[in-house]
């Protein structure tokens, strides 16, 4: 079978597809899908394309695994009232938002030559990692007063599907904004794509987190925001889920430079600051630019910049006095070439267990980097919390792993492979940064001494490798990282952990007792998170566990009551759960104290399992959900503009 040369491919409309994109990840024609091939004239491309990953897994009525919940989703665009079983707390009134995968597989037409005749066949582009997809936003209007829940969902980046079909692959507009996906595009195409911004909300997948950004709502806008692993922020109407626009942080302020940012912004309710950082990549190092935005300063200001080795940094920590950046030794390979041309994160980076993990401490008052600590290599996606004590020590809790194995295990090929080992279990690990101010003062004193020293003494200081200058050498390390005096971040506690950890938000940056998250049952298969756990951070109490046979929860979000309660665990847990036995999803509400069920409601469609972060926004739901414009309708002007931007 030969492919028609690119310049002879017949232009086809979407309606001429052999089979439009389905609601499952299986081609039901013969149980398989055709292999995706790169463009015939691309000599630089290494073909790692596979058949649709789900095609090798037979979905049938007897299948009671989680696999059916990792396929294309059907959105519920028109709000639907759910049947609530149980009783919601009367104080639980507001909107709950989650992000889930929306589309993994996209079918597209390809002209080939069979027996000398051009014919059209259907092929499938497949995202390769659980984190890589066109996302779906799920909205729950919860009225505890009326014991009622309304549900709707939509895919804001709906036009990305058509563009992937048109280009027969995916062109991310930022370097390494996907985890492990074969883009089916040439190096040249990827370089062009990552050098420009698409700037259209219907084309930019923002599927890592969804939440409220208070400074952006200062003018009374009722909006929520989705963020991704690049530096894109997508605005949605909180009622209708209509897209309002997409921006990058450097559009808010040119000083916030960089192609990537954390999808987990912090909001300090005391200072009313939104805090985040961007990553400006160089050849051997990265500038991590931390910034602050308030209602009074809507364009924000730069807090401090840290120069460190390039890594994938998902989250960071904030306490009342400090910002802490933790950089694991997951660094680019091949001199960063693959990373810069838009390769997947796990293709472009490698974990180096022989190198340390560094903790960079920024003073929020002095607005500068004041100290660096180090520990043995470890990997993490999420901080749990961080806090200070009266003795000027800082404590950081992580959902931690010894290396990056878990990131590879969450690829779709691994999740669908029944023969692979169980998922790596996280540990809840606490590190102590001792005497932070004393360490900062010692470094300041040394800097002052070096500033007044003569050239010979300066040279001796450098030769002794005890410089505390925070520039980088040819390896990308700061001088203090190379120093023998870098203080150690001491691990002081290790417990079995959870993923997607959440705490009572009142205790962010403060000493706390509990965290909730999704976990792996001790007697389970270990191939997917199958329980919700409450961990007692203090003391030796056993975890509290909710589980149901053949059920798989997504993120467990803690919601406190509107009136402060002295008991930290007073509140509820909300999670969207996939029931493999019933082949259905339901929203679950648990008492946060004992994880006893308070209410549940079955959803009209399966909501794919998610590793993204959601939020609960308290408020009045008496008016119900406003119905948005059908996402499939566009003005001619919008369509033309988006097509021009994507070319």
């Amino acid at each position: 079978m030969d492919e028609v040369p690119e310049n002879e491919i017949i232009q086809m409309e979407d309606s001429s597809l052999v089979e439009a994109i389905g609601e499952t990840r299986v081609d039901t024609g013969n149980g398989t899908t055709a292999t995706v091939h790169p463009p015939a004239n691309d000599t630089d491309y290494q073909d790692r394309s596979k058949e649709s990953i789900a095609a090798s897994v037979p979905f049938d009525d007897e299948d009671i695994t989680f696999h059916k919940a990792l396929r294309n989703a059907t959105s519920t665009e028109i709000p639907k009232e759910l049947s609530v079983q149980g009783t919601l707390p009367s104080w639980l009134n507001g909107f709950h938002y989650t992000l889930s995968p929306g589309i993994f597989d996209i079918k597209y037409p390809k002209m080939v030559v069979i027996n000398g005749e051009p014919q059209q066949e259907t092929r499938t582009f497949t995202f390769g990692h659980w984190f890589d997809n066109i996302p779906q936003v799920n909205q729950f209007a919860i009225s505890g007063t009326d014991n009622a829940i309304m549900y709707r969902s939509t895919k804001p980046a709906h036009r990305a599907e058509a563009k992937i079909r048109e280009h027969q692959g995916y062109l991310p507009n930022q370097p390494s904004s996907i985890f492990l996906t074969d883009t089916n595009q040439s190096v040249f195409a990827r370089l062009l794509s990552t050098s420009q911004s698409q700037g259209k909300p219907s084309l930019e997948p923002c599927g890592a987190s969804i939440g409220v950004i208070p400074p952006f709502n200062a003018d009374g806008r009722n909006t929520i925001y989705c963020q991704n692993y690049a530096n894109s922020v997508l605005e949605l109407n909180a009622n209708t889920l209509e897209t309002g626009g997409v921006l990058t942080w450097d559009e808010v302020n040119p000083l916030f430079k960089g192609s990537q940012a954390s999808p987990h912004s912090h909001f300090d309710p005391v200072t009313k600051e939104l805090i985040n950082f961007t990553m400006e990549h160089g050849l051997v190092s990265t500038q991590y630019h931390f910034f602050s935005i308030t209602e009074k300063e809507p364009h924000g200001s730069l807090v401090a910049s840290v120069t460190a080795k390039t890594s994938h940094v998902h989250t960071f920590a904030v306490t009342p006095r400090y910002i802490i950046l933790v950089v694991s030794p997951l660094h680019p390979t091949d001199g960063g070439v693959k990373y810069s041309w838009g390769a997947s994160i796990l293709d472009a980076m490698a974990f180096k267990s022989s190198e340390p993990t560094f903790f960079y401490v920024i003073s929020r008052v002095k607005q500068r980097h004041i100290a660096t600590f180090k520990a043995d290599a470890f990997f993490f996606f999420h901080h749990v919390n961080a806090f200070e004590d009266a003795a000027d020590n800082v404590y950081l809790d992580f959902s931690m792993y010894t290396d990056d194995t878990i990131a590879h295990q969450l690829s779709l090929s691994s999740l669908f492979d029944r023969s692979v080992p169980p998922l790596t279990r996280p540990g809840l690990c606490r590190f102590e940064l001792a005497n932070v101010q004393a360490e900062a003062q010692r470094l300041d004193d040394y800097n002052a001494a070096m500033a007044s020293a003569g050239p010979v003494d300066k040279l001796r200081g450098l030769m002794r490798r005890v410089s505390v200058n925070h520039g980088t050498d040819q390896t990308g390390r700061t001088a203090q990282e190379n120093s023998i005096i870098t203080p150690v971040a001491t691990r002081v506690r290790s417990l079995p952990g959870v993923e997607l950890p959440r705490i009572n938000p009142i205790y962010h940056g403060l000493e706390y007792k509990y965290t909730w998250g999704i976990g792996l049952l001790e007697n389970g298969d270990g191939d997917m998170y199958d329980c919700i756990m409450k961990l007692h951070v203090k003391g030796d109490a056993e975890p509290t566990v909710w589980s149901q046979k053949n059920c798989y929860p997504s993120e467990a979000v803690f919601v406190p009551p509107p009136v402060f309660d002295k008991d930290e665990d007073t509140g509820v847990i909300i999670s969207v759960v996939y029931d493999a036995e019933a082949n259905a999803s339901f929203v679950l509400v648990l008492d946060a104290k004992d994880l006893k069920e308070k209410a549940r409601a079955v959803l009209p469609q399966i909501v794919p399992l998610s590793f993204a972060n959601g939020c609960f926004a308290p408020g009045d739901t008496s008016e119900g959900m406003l119905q948005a414009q059908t996402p499939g309708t566009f003005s001619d002007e919008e369509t033309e503009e988006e097509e021009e931007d994507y070319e």
Side-chain angles (χ1 to χ4, degrees):
M1 181 184 296
D2 300 321
E3 293 185 6
V4 176
E6 295 295 321
N7 60 353
E8 296 180 13
I9 292 178
I10 300 173
Q11 299 298 315
M12 294 165 290
E13 301 295 330
D14 287 352
S15 60
S16 68
L17 286 172
V18 173
E19 179 178 344
I21 182 151
E23 304 304 339
T24 71
R25 306 185 66 243
V26 176
D27 183 346
T28 56
N30 57 13
T32 62
T33 56
T35 303
V36 177
H37 292 290
N41 59 352
D42 182 4
T43 58
D44 295 324
Y45 183 89
Q46 180 182 0
D47 182 17
R48 296 186 297 105
S49 300
K50 299 179 178 68
E51 294 184 350
S52 176
I53 295 169
S56 61
V57 181
F59 292 154
D60 54 48
D61 294 338
E62 302 301 320
D63 183 8
I64 53 172
T65 70
F66 62 89
H67 292 151
K68 288 183 181 179
L70 291 177
R71 59 184 184 181
N72 292 346
T74 300
S75 296
T76 304
E77 301 286 352
I78 299 176
K80 182 177 178 61
E81 185 170 0
L82 307 180
S83 176
V84 177
Q85 303 172 35
T87 304
L88 297 165
S90 59
W91 55 263
L92 186 63
N93 296 287
F95 290 93
H96 184 61
Y97 301 95
T98 72
L99 281 167
S100 62
I103 297 175
F104 286 114
D105 288 340
I106 297 171
K107 296 183 183 298
Y108 64 88
K110 185 75 175 180
M111 292 304 295
V112 297
V113 175
I114 302 177
N115 297 326
E117 295 293 329
Q119 296 187 26
Q120 178 181 306
E121 77 173 17
T122 299
R123 295 186 179 178
T124 305
F125 170 81
T126 301
F127 286 99
H129 199 280
W130 192 12
F131 303 170
D132 300 339
N133 56 78
I134 296 176
Q136 174 174 279
V137 175
N138 304 287
Q139 178 191 43
F140 302 85
I142 302 176
S143 173
T145 304
D146 300 321
N147 202 44
I149 301 177
M150 295 281 289
Y151 169 73
R152 73 129 56 93
S153 59
T154 190
K155 301 180 182 74
H158 42 82
R159 284 188 60 80
E161 177 186 357
K163 290 304 178 181
I164 290 173
R165 183 179 300 129
E166 176 185 339
H167 288 264
Q168 302 175 5
Y170 180 52
L171 287 170
N173 72 318
Q174 300 290 357
S176 292
S177 56
I178 50 178
F179 258 78
L180 190 62
T181 291
D182 189 337
T183 62
N184 197 34
Q185 299 292 298
S186 68
V187 172
F188 181 68
R190 294 202 302 269
L191 283 171
L192 285 179
S193 175
T194 56
S195 66
Q196 57 187 351
S197 174
Q198 294 172 2
K200 295 293 181 180
S202 58
L203 289 172
E204 185 63 51
C206 292
S209 69
I210 184 170
V212 178
I213 302 182
F216 287 179
N217 293 355
D219 58 0
R221 285 181 294 176
N222 187 22
T223 52
I224 55 171
Y225 299 87
C226 301
Q227 298 179 71
N228 61 11
Y229 298 108
N231 64 345
S232 300
V233 182
L234 173 67
E235 178 183 315
L236 298 173
N237 183 289
N239 288 326
T240 67
L241 299 185
E242 289 180 307
T243 55
V246 64
L247 58 83
T248 55
W249 291 113
D250 59 351
E251 292 174 324
V252 177
N253 189 321
L255 294 177
F256 307 162
K257 296 180 288 186
S259 61
Q260 290 184 284
S262 170
H264 298 287
S265 301
H266 282 259
F267 181 71
D268 187 328
V270 176
T271 62
K272 308 298 183 184
E273 290 177 275
L274 174 84
I275 300 172
N276 203 339
F277 70 88
T278 57
M279 291 179 270
E280 183 182 7
H281 303 302
L283 291 177
V284 294
S285 63
T286 290
Q287 286 277 331
Y288 297 83
H289 301 298
F290 284 86
F291 59 85
S292 163
I293 299 174
T294 64
E295 290 186 12
K296 293 182 178 179
E297 290 187 88
H299 295 289
S301 60
L302 196 64
V303 176
S305 295
V306 173
T307 301
K309 293 191 74 172
T310 299
S311 183
H312 173 71
V313 182
H314 187 72
T315 55
F316 62 105
V318 176
T319 69
R321 291 188 295 167
Y322 304 115
I323 301 170
I324 304 98
L325 168 70
V326 182
V327 180
S328 293
L330 181 67
H331 301 311
T333 57
D334 302 325
V337 174
K338 286 185 178 179
Y339 187 83
S340 63
W341 75 38
S344 298
I345 291 171
L346 297 182
D347 279 337
M349 293 185 169
F351 189 82
K352 301 179 180 179
S353 57
S354 61
E355 296 189 14
T357 293
F358 286 101
F359 298 66
Y360 300 92
V361 183
I362 294 170
S363 168
R364 295 176 62 184
V365 175
K366 297 179 180 179
Q367 296 200 332
R368 62 183 176 88
H369 171 206
I370 60 170
T372 302
F373 293 76
K374 67 179 181 180
D376 290 340
F378 67 84
F379 177 79
F380 70 102
F381 291 118
H382 298 104
H383 288 263
V384 181
N385 196 19
F387 61 93
E388 310 164 22
D389 68 9
D392 197 36
N393 304 310
V394 175
Y395 299 91
L396 298 100
D397 291 347
F398 300 87
S399 290
M400 198 187 94
Y401 306 88
T402 56
D403 57 31
D404 67 334
T405 297
I406 184 64
H408 296 270
Q409 290 177 321
L410 297 181
S411 69
L412 293 182
S413 60
S414 179
L415 289 173
F416 280 103
D417 186 348
R418 302 175 192 268
S419 66
V420 299
L423 296 180
T424 305
R425 296 174 183 267
L428 174 59
C429 298
R430 173 169 294 178
F431 286 83
E432 178 190 61
L433 311 184
N435 304 313
V436 172
Q437 287 297 329
E439 174 63 20
Q441 185 60 54
R442 184 178 65 82
L443 299 184
D444 283 346
D445 292 345
Y446 185 85
N447 276 330
M450 288 297 292
S452 60
V456 174
D457 289 334
K458 288 183 179 180
L459 180 60
R460 287 173 178 169
L462 290 173
M463 292 177 65
R464 288 197 302 268
R465 301 167 66 85
V466 293
S467 171
V468 291
N469 185 322
H470 299 297
T472 61
D473 63 12
Q474 67 273 18
T475 68
R477 291 186 177 91
T478 66
Q480 190 188 359
E481 289 171 20
N482 286 327
S483 169
I484 59 173
I485 63 167
T486 302
V488 172
T490 306
R491 189 191 302 194
V492 295
R493 189 169 175 81
S494 295
L495 302 169
V498 294
E499 257 306 345
L500 297 171
R502 298 296 292 252
I503 67 170
N504 185 328
I506 297 171
Y507 292 85
H508 278 146
L510 305 174
E511 191 170 4
Y512 69 115
K513 298 178 182 177
Y514 311 107
T515 184
W516 294 260
I518 56 175
L520 297 163
L521 289 170
E522 288 294 334
N523 58 351
D525 294 333
D527 52 0
M528 178 51 71
Y529 303 103
D530 55 2
C531 67
I532 295 173
M533 301 176 69
K534 173 189 178 184
L535 303 183
H536 301 253
V537 179
K538 285 187 172 182
D540 300 317
E542 290 294 316
T544 305
V545 178
W546 175 91
S547 68
Q548 181 176 317
K549 186 179 180 181
N550 299 320
C551 285
Y552 303 91
S554 293
E555 182 190 33
V557 177
F558 179 93
V559 181
V563 178
F564 175 76
D565 192 291
K566 61 181 180 62
D567 291 334
E568 183 182 326
D569 56 354
T570 297
V572 298
I573 297 297
I574 305 177
S575 178
V576 178
V577 182
Y578 173 65
D579 182 346
E581 194 164 327
N583 193 27
S585 297
F586 61 91
V587 59
L588 175 68
V589 181
L590 304 174
D591 188 316
K593 284 184 179 291
D594 54 15
L595 297 190
K596 296 292 179 63
E597 181 174 330
K598 300 187 77 68
R600 72 168 64 188
V602 177
L603 302 179
Q605 304 289 348
I606 293 174
V607 175
L609 293 174
S610 171
F611 201 80
N613 292 96
C615 74
F616 182 85
D620 182 13
T621 63
S622 59
E623 295 183 2
M625 297 181 180
L626 301 176
Q627 187 166 342
Q629 175 184 356
T630 303
T633 59
F634 311 94
S635 67
D636 292 339
E637 180 180 355
E638 177 189 358
T639 303
E640 290 173 1
E641 287 179 357
E642 291 185 356
E643 287 177 350
E644 289 174 1
D645 285 352
Y646 202 88
E647 294 297 333

